[in-house]
Amino acid sequence: MKKNMLAFLLLLIFVVPFVSYAESDELSEKHSLLWKISGNGIEKPSYLFGTMHVSKKLAFNLSEEFYKGIESVDVVAMEANPASMIKDMMDSPLFGGAYSMMKARKPKINDMYTVEFQTLLPTDIVLGNLLAQEDNIINSLLYRRTGGFQDNFSESTYLDLFLFQAAKKLSKETVNLEDFEEMSKLVLLSMIPDEVKDKDKRRDASKLYEKLLPGQTIGDLIEDAYRKGNINYLDTITRMLNPSKNHHKYMIVERNRIMIARLDSLLKLKTVFTGVGAAHLPGEDGMINMLRELGYTVEACEKVITDETMAKRKEIDKLRYELSFETHYPSDSVFSVSVPGEFSVIPSIDDYTQMYHPDPINGSYFAVLRLRTYADLYNKSRDDIFMMIDSLFYENIPGEIQEKKEINLQGFRCFDITNKLVRGDYQRYKIFITPLEIILFKMSGPDDFVTMENNSEFFDSVKFNFTHYSEPHKYHDGRGGFDINLPGMAVSNFNVEDSRNEEFREIVSVDTNSGEFFMMRRTSIFDFEYIEEDTFELNYVIEQYADARDFLIKEMQLATYKQFPSIDATVEKDDLKLNLRVIKKGVEFFLLIAKTEDDDHRDNFFNSLEFTDLTDVSEYISCRDTLFHFTVTSPKQPADNILQEVMKDLRTISTRDKTPFETKYKSTFYTEPLTGQLVRIEFVRLHKYYSEKHIDSFWTYRRERMLNDSTLKIYSYDTDSSDGLYTMNVRLVDTNSIKMIRKKLI
């Protein structure tokens, strides 16, 4: 479910407006989805069209006037720009925040030591998922396919994107009427529910419709209204489904005002064909009426569908927009490849990094997926991985494989595969097995687009830029925290595009000449209620690592490394021996692994780790939390704050306080992605009739509560009563541990 969260939010923006018009009014419009705009000083007509954000065929009964309108105008305007949508999403504080919240660091209670130090050889399931991967966001942006039987009643894309494709292929200028960030915030605000009594009214109205129209669903009625262009009936039906007044206010009215303001400016300069969700058209606050209030004449267009108009859509579909390729690098520069535009990283909660560049004009996309194999930790060679993945093609390459070749590029074995989907569309893969990871290049498009000669540049341009160091080379984490020296060929997530969401920092290296393997991982483990002894935690990390892989522990030796507790160990399985070192630095743990028979190489690697200061590049701002009632100066985190505020509002309103006199407790976590620091915020509203004779008694009680059923000890505390606030700072420790828990009570 988490994996689909971003795709769900995207669909919320572009699907819900069609079925979300709320307020009824006395305006009654003619049956039409296409409206001609004239008057108010404009010399040539412009057009307003109500779309349905789906790929179903019912949305594609397009009239002769629809195509004439597009061909006659200077500009095609839409709600958003499909060409920049994926980049807008990934750069968005709101959508980036959605993923950050999905992956937000929480204390891991069950098997946290195992999870934090996993270095697993990819299973058949993981490799199969890598091959079969079709990201939900790409589907939402390019196709809107539902899968299965329903695809037989769908077109190759959804109506809005077809409008965009038609505009581009007919050399029309395209503009978006909404700013993505602005629109996203309004969509999230629209999710705030009304009072419970309003919900009950809507629920009763929906039940009434079911009784009056047996055998028909609300969806059936909506589709029929759209098919007939009956926006009045559409208004009547959809207002029954409106989830809240806020939904209507932010999803429809506020967005209409923004779009009309920008459309009005455009109409003064150029002729415009505007396509927006059909629910934005009718009613007093609809775009039709708003244009009339500005002085425009808005008239319904007659819907005439002929064989020629049906053929027109196919004619536009067959047009191909020529792509211009440029060389691009991932941020770690491991490879270069020619792509028609920038890659965007779509975060994955799976084990691989996925980079996409969609081509919405032609309905194609370019992808690069990277999966670290940890093969050397299992005595597996590149040939072993090559054979593993080869055995999975039949089941996991979609459709039918048309051609499969084995090639070699710069010493790396590769599969070059072309496959044909059931729909008739072609895809192509190039899958490289490097010493440290699998790197998969993929292209998908409509019909034979992928196999066209001028589109092979994506695959032909792939070049690897690995540097093989014969002597140890110093690597530095750009965020600070440590430096370390490794020989051979290395890859890390120090600079990987989605590193802001990485829960650990890792670098792995292999010397292809000697076969030696080295790895370092830094992670953090948080526990706000308990502090474990350092020696126990270090021993337990080694035991868990060995048990998870069926290794035998041959020796363990507790020590200190640069004044921090550490442990060295040797684990073995069959003829494989690994040297481990774990260092505990507060809540941070450093796991170092060396696969080498040379003790000097092992020691040089282990002892090259240097701790450095974190690089704080954060902009600090004053943040006000309305749910937890505090203001704090903290690093600016656009990826979290706005979305968190909206979600807090949702939780607050949906759980309105029916017992204001009782004790209330709330908690949340704030994380700083660059440093990995975690702060737990707790809000306690005491019972209305709770009292203490003196503030000192209250603080004494709170300190006693902290120590209840705990081995924790108070290292120090201080109290203050300045600025009209009573505060207490407490430092908690436990025996035989360098960890400390700091709490501030206000």
Side-chain angles (χ1 to χ4, degrees), residues 356-557:
Y356 284 90
H357 173 75
D359 163 29
I361 304 175
N362 294 302
S364 71
Y365 67 82
F366 303 80
V368 180
L369 283 75
R370 301 173 64 178
L371 175 68
R372 201 160 298 169
T373 62
Y374 303 107
D376 288 85
L377 296 180
Y378 295 84
N379 260 358
K380 297 291 184 181
S381 67
R382 279 183 284 168
D383 289 340
D384 293 330
I385 302 298
F386 195 83
M387 289 187 289
M388 283 178 64
I389 202 164
D390 188 15
S391 68
L392 300 171
F393 289 147
Y394 175 70
E395 290 186 34
N396 296 285
I397 295 290
E400 183 177 346
I401 294 176
Q402 303 292 301
E403 184 180 27
K404 172 188 166 187
K405 296 184 292 185
E406 294 185 18
I407 62 174
N408 190 294
L409 177 66
Q410 297 174 242
F412 302 134
R413 296 181 71 183
C414 170
F415 290 105
D416 188 344
I417 296 173
T418 301
N419 58 300
K420 185 177 182 181
L421 305 180
V422 174
R423 295 178 61 93
D425 301 337
Y426 281 86
Q427 297 181 329
R428 186 180 173 188
Y429 294 75
K430 270 194 175 180
I431 306 163
F432 291 91
I433 314 299
T434 75
L436 295 168
E437 59 183 341
I438 298 169
I439 305 180
L440 181 152
F441 297 84
K442 179 180 179 180
M443 182 180 174
S444 182
D447 302 322
D448 61 349
F449 184 75
V450 168
T451 61
M452 294 172 64
E453 184 176 351
N454 58 335
N455 290 329
S456 65
E457 186 171 348
F458 174 64
F459 297 101
D460 297 341
S461 65
V462 174
K463 180 182 178 181
F464 291 101
N465 308 303
F466 286 109
T467 301
H468 191 285
Y469 295 97
S470 58
E471 297 294 328
H473 177 77
K474 178 175 283 189
Y475 292 88
H476 171 71
D477 185 352
R479 301 192 306 188
F482 60 87
D483 295 332
I484 194 163
N485 297 339
L486 297 98
M489 177 191 302
V491 294
S492 74
N493 68 355
F494 296 174
N495 300 306
V496 170
E497 290 83 345
D498 60 341
S499 61
R500 65 174 178 160
N501 294 313
E502 290 291 341
E503 295 193 349
F504 58 80
R505 307 297 274 172
E506 179 178 277
I507 183 166
V508 294
S509 169
V510 62
D511 188 325
T512 54
N513 296 322
S514 65
E516 293 179 327
F517 175 89
F518 303 93
M519 169 183 163
M520 189 228 68
R521 177 180 294 184
R522 188 195 76 181
T523 189
S524 300
I525 297 177
F526 297 92
D527 191 332
F528 290 91
E529 306 298 337
Y530 188 75
I531 296 178
E532 189 59 83
E533 291 186 5
D534 295 337
T535 55
F536 174 84
E537 279 195 302
L538 291 168
N539 276 282
Y540 193 66
V541 169
I542 296 294
E543 291 171 1
Q544 290 294 99
Y545 187 88
D547 289 347
R549 295 153 189 81
D550 296 325
F551 277 94
L552 293 176
I553 300 174
K554 287 300 183 180
E555 47 184 306
M556 287 197 296
Q557 180 64 49

Side-chain angles (χ1 to χ4, degrees), residues 621-625 630-637 641 670:
I621 60 172
S622 179
C623 300
R624 181 171 179 265
D625 192 303
F630 70 90
T631 301
V632 65
T633 301
S634 69
K636 184 179 181 181
Q637 295 180 35
N641 288 349
Y670 280 75

Side-chain angles (χ1 to χ4, degrees), residues 3 15 104 144 241 278 334 379 396 464 549 603 617 620 635 663 671 680 716:
K3 184 176 182 181
V15 177
R144 302 282 169 87
L241 300 179
V334 164
N379 260 358
N396 296 285
F464 291 101
R549 295 153 189 81
D603 293 341
V617 295
Y620 282 78
T663 300
T671 183
R680 185 173 74 183
S716 67

